[in-house]
C-alpha cells in the first residue's frame, strides 16, 4: 500500500516538526508519540503483499499453500514489540515531565537550560 | 527567528532524505525465506494458527522476554519517581459508577479471552493485558479514592514473570531450546489446547502486563 507508506512518512515528518518547533514539554511528548505511530505504519505497510490475507491460518487459508496466501508476519511482530516499548517509553517521559514541573513549576523547555550549549 | 529557519531547513533535509525511500520503494511479490519458514513452521512444527503469535512466543521468544523486562523497568522507574500522595477529590457521577460496576467484570473477561486465545485469533498477552488494565482504569475513574491491593498486584506480577522464565528453562533442561513451546504435547490444530506451551506463556505475559499497567495507572492518578 503506497498510500499507507506515504501516510506513515507524513506522520513521521509532522511528529519531528512538532518536536522541533514546540516549547511545551507535553507537546514534545505528543510529537514523539506521533513519530512512533508513523514508524509503525511504515513498517506494517512494508510487509503488505497484494491480494493476501492476514497471517492467521484458519479455515480461510489453504494450509498446504499458506506461504502463498498470507502477508509477511515479521513486520507485524516488530510493530507489536514496538507498540509495547513505545507505551512504556511514553509513560516514562510523562513521568519525567511531571517531576520537572514539580521542581520548576514550568512546562516550557526554555526554563531548562542546564544542558544547552 | 533563526531557530525557525533552522527547523525548516532540517525538515527540508529530512524530506529530501526520505523522498527516494518512497519513490524507489518496490513491494514484494513473495515472502522471503525466513517468513516462509515461519509460516510453514507455525503449521507443521507448532500447530499454532496465528503465525505472529508463534514468532513472538517461540521463534523470537528471547526478544519478548527482553520486551517484558523493558516494560517492567519502565514500571519500576515510574513507581520510583512518582511518590503517591493522598488527595481527596470529588466523586464521579452516578451514571459512571453504575455503568462501571456492570462493565468491569465483562471487560476483565474479554481481556482473559483475548490472552488465552492468542494462538487462534488476533490478540495475545500484551493486548489482553492492556484490556484488563482499562477495566481498572474504569474503576479508578468511577471511584477516585479506591484502593488496590498492592500485595496481590506484586505477587501476580512477580510470579507470572518467574514462571515465564521457568517455562523457558524447562526447554533448556529437555535440550530442545530456550522458550520452546514443544515442552508439552501440541494438541489438535485449531483447538484452544493446541500449540504446546504458547497459550500458557501468553497467559502469563497477559497477567504480567495487566498487573504492571494497573500499577502504572495507580501511581499516575496521584498526580
Amino acid at each position: 500500500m503506497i498510500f499507507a507508506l506515504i501516510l506513515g512518512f507524513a506522520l513521521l515528518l509532522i511528529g519531528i516538526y512538532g518536536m522541533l518547533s514546540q516549547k511545551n514539554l507535553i507537546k514534545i511528548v505528543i510529537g514523539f508519540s506521533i513519530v512512533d505511530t508513523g514508524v509503525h505504519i511504515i513498517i506494517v505497510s512494508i510487509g503488505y503483499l497484494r491480494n493476501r490475507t492476514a497471517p492467521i491460518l484458519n479455515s480461510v487459508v489453504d494450509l498446504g499453500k499458506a506461504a502463498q496466501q498470507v502477508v509477511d508476519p515479521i513486520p507485524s511482530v516488530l510493530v507489536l514489540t514496538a507498540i509495547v516499548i513505545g507505551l512504556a517509553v511514553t509513560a516514562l517521559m510523562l513521568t519525567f515531565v511531571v517531576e520537572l514541573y514539580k521542581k520548576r513549576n514550568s512546562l516550557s523547555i526554555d526554563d531548562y537550560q542546564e544542558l544547552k550549549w | 527567528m533563526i531557530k525557525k529557519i533552522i527547523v525548516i531547513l532540517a525538515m527540508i533535509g529530512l524530506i529530501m532524505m526520505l523522498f527516494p525511500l518512497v519513490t524507489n520503494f518496490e513491494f514484494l511479490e513473495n515472502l522471503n525465506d525466513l517468513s516462509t519458514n515461519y509460516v510453514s513452521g507455525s503449521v507443521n512444527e507448532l500447530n499454532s494458527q496465528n503465525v505472529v503469535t508463534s514468532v513472538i512466543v517461540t521463534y523470537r521468544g528471547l526478544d519478548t522476554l527482553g520486551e517484558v523486562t523493558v516494560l517492567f523497568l519502565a514500571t519500576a522507574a515510574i513507581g520510583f519517581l512518582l511518590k503517591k500522595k493522598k488527595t481527596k477529590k470529588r466523586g464521579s457521577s452516578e451514571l459512571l459508577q453504575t455503568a462501571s460496576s456492570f462493565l468491569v467484570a465483562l471487560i476483565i473477561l474479554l481481556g482473559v479471552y483475548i490472552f488465552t486465545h492468542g494462538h487462534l485469533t488476533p490478540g495475545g498477552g500484551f493486548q489482553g493485558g492492556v484490556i484488563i488494565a482499562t477495566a481498572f482504569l474504569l474503576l479508578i475513574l468511577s471511584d477516585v479514592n479506591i484502593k488496590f491491593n498492592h500485595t496481590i498486584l506484586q505477587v501476580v506480577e512477580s510470579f507470572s514473570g518467574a514462571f515465564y522464565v521457568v517455562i523457558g528453562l524447562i526447554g533448556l533442561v529437555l535440550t530442545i531450546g530456550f522458550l520452546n513451546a514443544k515442552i508439552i504435547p501440541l494438541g489438535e490444530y485449531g483447538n484452544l489446547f493446541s500449540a504446546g506451551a504458547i497459550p500458557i506463556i501468553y497467559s502469563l505475559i497477559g497477567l504480567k502486563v495487566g498487573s504492571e499497567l494497573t500499577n502504572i495507572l495507580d501511581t499516575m492518578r496521584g498526580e
Side-chain angles (χ1 to χ4, degrees), chain A residues 1 9 13 23 45 49 52 55-57 63 67 72 74 77 80-81 84 87 91-92 95-96 98-99 102, chain B residues 3 11 22 27-31 34-36 43 49 51 56 67 77-78 81-82 122 127 189 220 223:
Chain A
M1 282 294 276
F9 278 113
L13 291 170
K23 301 274 185 205
S45 71
L49 294 143
R52 294 194 180 200
I56 293 165
L57 310 173
L63 289 183
D72 201 344
I74 295 174
V77 173
L80 187 68
T81 310
V84 177
L87 171 89
L92 196 55
T95 312
F96 287 147
V98 168
E99 285 298 301
K102 274 190 205 157
Chain B
K3 229 179 219 170
M11 292 312 293
V22 179
F27 282 96
L28 296 170
E29 291 300 318
N30 281 306
L31 296 186
L34 182 67
S35 309
T36 314
V43 182
Q49 275 193 356
V51 183
I56 283 184
E67 183 187 353
I78 289 168
L81 285 171
L82 295 181
Q127 297 90 321
Y189 186 80
M220 277 190 156
E223 298 304 322

Side-chain angles (χ1 to χ4, degrees), chain B residues 62-75 208 212:
Chain B
L62 196 61
D63 296 348
T64 309
L65 189 59
E67 183 187 353
V68 171
T69 315
V70 170
L71 195 62
F72 169 73
L73 274 177
T75 318
K208 189 167 168 58
E212 270 170 356

Side-chain angles (χ1 to χ4, degrees), chain B residues 7-203:
Chain B
V7 167
I8 288 169
L9 281 179
M11 292 312 293
I12 291 171
L14 262 176
I15 290 171
M16 281 164 69
M17 250 170 62
L18 296 176
F19 193 68
L21 285 182
V22 179
T23 49
N24 297 343
F25 188 78
E26 285 171 11
F27 282 96
L28 296 170
E29 291 300 318
N30 281 306
L31 296 186
N32 55 21
D33 290 346
L34 182 67
S35 309
T36 314
N37 258 334
Y38 282 160
V39 171
S40 59
S42 178
V43 182
N44 302 326
E45 279 182 77
L46 290 173
N47 262 358
S48 158
Q49 275 193 356
N50 191 340
V51 183
V52 176
T53 299
S54 45
V55 175
I56 283 184
V57 177
T58 296
Y59 292 117
R60 307 297 323 149
L62 196 61
D63 296 348
T64 309
L65 189 59
E67 183 187 353
V68 171
T69 315
V70 170
L71 195 62
F72 169 73
L73 274 177
T75 318
I78 289 168
F80 174 72
L81 285 171
L82 295 181
K83 296 280 183 314
K84 253 197 252 144
K85 43 180 191 199
K86 290 251 154 50
T87 43
K88 283 270 174 198
K89 289 168 191 150
R90 82 190 162 88
S92 59
S93 74
E94 189 158 348
L95 273 178
L96 187 58
Q97 283 174 12
T98 316
S100 75
S101 61
F102 171 64
L103 280 175
V104 163
L106 289 179
I107 294 175
I108 291 179
L109 188 68
L110 177 70
V112 172
Y113 171 81
I114 283 183
F115 69 61
T116 48
H117 287 67
H119 56 302
L120 300 174
T121 53
F126 296 103
Q127 297 90 321
V130 171
I131 289 173
I132 289 177
T134 56
F136 288 102
L137 177 64
L138 193 59
L139 270 182
I140 292 174
L141 286 177
S142 69
D143 181 5
V144 190
N145 300 315
I146 194 171
K147 279 205 189 76
F148 294 134
N149 191 336
H150 275 267
T151 333
I152 291 181
L153 278 179
Q154 274 163 10
V155 165
V156 168
E157 188 193 332
S158 35
F159 268 90
S160 49
F163 276 128
Y164 181 26
V165 178
V166 165
I167 286 176
L169 290 177
I170 291 173
L172 276 189
V173 171
L174 298 175
T175 64
I176 50 175
F178 188 64
L179 279 174
N180 197 318
K182 284 185 278 189
I183 54 170
I184 58 173
L186 287 178
E188 202 179 323
Y189 186 80
N191 281 3
L192 178 58
F193 293 101
S194 65
I198 287 180
I200 300 170
I201 294 174
Y202 237 8
S203 304

